[in-house]
Amino acid sequence: AQTVTQSQPEMSVQEAETVTLSCTYDTSESDYYLFWYKQPPSRQMILVIRQEAYKQQNATENRFSVNFQKAAKSFSLKISDSQLGDAAMYFCAYRSASRGSQGNLIFGKGTKLSVKP
Amino acid sequence: GAGVSQTPSNKVTEKGKYVELRCDPISGHTALYWYRQSLGQGPEFLIYFQGTGAADDSGLPNDRFFAVRPEGSVSTLKIQRTERGDSAVYLCASSPGPLNTEAFFGQGTRLTVV
């Protein structure tokens, strides 16, 4: 069974600085997707960034980028130029891409990010 | 609607009562997922619908939990004989299909069993 581990329950960053959130996962599959979701107090999960395992190039979305290390099964999120609105819970998630996959996500326990003005 | 809608937003019920939680997915989305998020945890998969049928209900914790999606759109999660341990946020997500990698989430229903 696949598992996702986020070892940082809480992180803090100064506004305009850079912060990196860690995620490791375990799987025996070769084809899968990895995601970072943001969950503000409104509770709605918002997709931040997505990575296909078959792609070597790290995904980037504006101020958000990932460091995907497939062999190490590591998938960290870097937030540059942090803004107050980035404060939220961040969840790393895994989704199988194998044939017959039903698309359900496996989540880590989350990292609470605080941004200091 | 523009997004996934879940009602009620909050629900307080007494131990032993029956509750229903509703999810209105994005129009045209055939895949629908329910997750449960306990305090301090990430969401955990409960059940997946493709169209009207429950394609995978392996995440339902016991037979007190049941979900339906009779017309392939709105889904209802039903919990019988609620227990205090059922207190959690119940999230619903939909996507155009199981092969589509982006799931769109609702704002969840916070269930509190007292």
Side-chain angles (χ1 to χ4, degrees):
Chain A
Q2 297 83 18
T3 59
V4 176
T5 302
Q6 293 179 250
S7 59
Q8 305 156 315
E10 295 187 26
M11 290 285 284
S12 180
V13 63
Q14 204 71 34
E15 195 176 6
E17 296 294 309
T18 296
V19 65
T20 299
L21 307 184
S22 301
C23 173
T24 59
Y25 59 94
D26 191 25
T27 183
S28 59
E29 298 179 327
S30 59
D31 201 11
Y32 50 87
Y33 303 92
L34 295 166
F35 306 84
W36 279 98
Y37 278 89
K38 172 184 178 182
Q39 187 179 42
S42 67
R43 301 196 302 246
Q44 186 172 20
M45 301 287 268
I46 302 165
L47 179 64
V48 174
I49 199 164
R50 164 181 44 222
Q51 175 79 43
E52 292 88 346
Y54 65 85
K55 289 186 178 178
Q56 292 187 340
Q57 186 172 7
N58 289 322
T60 299
E61 287 287 342
N62 300 314
R63 297 183 295 107
F64 299 88
S65 62
V66 298
N67 183 2
F68 174 48
Q69 301 289 327
K70 191 172 185 179
K73 296 180 181 173
S74 170
F75 182 62
S76 61
L77 174 70
K78 185 171 83 171
I79 306 173
S80 303
D81 186 25
S82 297
Q83 301 176 358
L84 295 177
D86 295 334
M89 285 292 294
Y90 285 82
F91 291 94
C92 179
Y94 173 102
R95 178 195 183 282
S96 172
S98 62
R99 191 176 182 85
S101 168
Q102 301 181 127
N104 54 291
L105 297 162
I106 299 168
F107 289 89
K109 289 188 174 183
T111 296
K112 182 178 181 180
L113 178 66
S114 302
V115 180
K116 298 178 180 178
Chain B
V4 178
S5 175
Q6 290 190 247
T7 53
S9 180
N10 294 282
K11 174 73 176 177
V12 179
T13 190
E14 293 180 347
K15 179 176 177 293
K17 298 289 189 183
Y18 168 84
V19 295
E20 290 189 350
L21 312 180
R22 177 187 168 107
C23 173
D24 243 303
I26 293 172
S27 178
H29 281 194
T30 62
L32 185 146
Y33 307 85
W34 283 98
Y35 293 85
R36 179 167 72 173
Q37 185 175 17
S38 300
L39 190 63
Q41 304 293 316
E44 293 179 319
F45 168 74
L46 293 177
I47 187 168
Y48 158 63
F49 287 90
Q50 177 55 39
T52 59
D56 182 357
D57 64 358
S58 62
L60 294 178
N62 52 60
D63 61 6
R64 295 187 297 106
F65 288 74
F66 189 71
V68 295
R69 194 185 184 198
E71 297 178 356
S73 55
V74 171
S75 176
T76 305
L77 178 65
K78 308 180 181 194
I79 310 174
Q80 299 177 323
R81 304 183 303 280
T82 51
E83 300 177 357
R84 292 195 177 88
D86 298 334
S87 296
V89 173
Y90 290 82
L91 293 166
C92 176
S94 71
S95 76
L99 297 180
N100 189 288
T101 58
E102 182 165 3
F104 297 82
F105 283 82
Q107 292 188 316
T109 294
R110 181 181 298 281
L111 175 67
T112 304
V113 182
V114 297

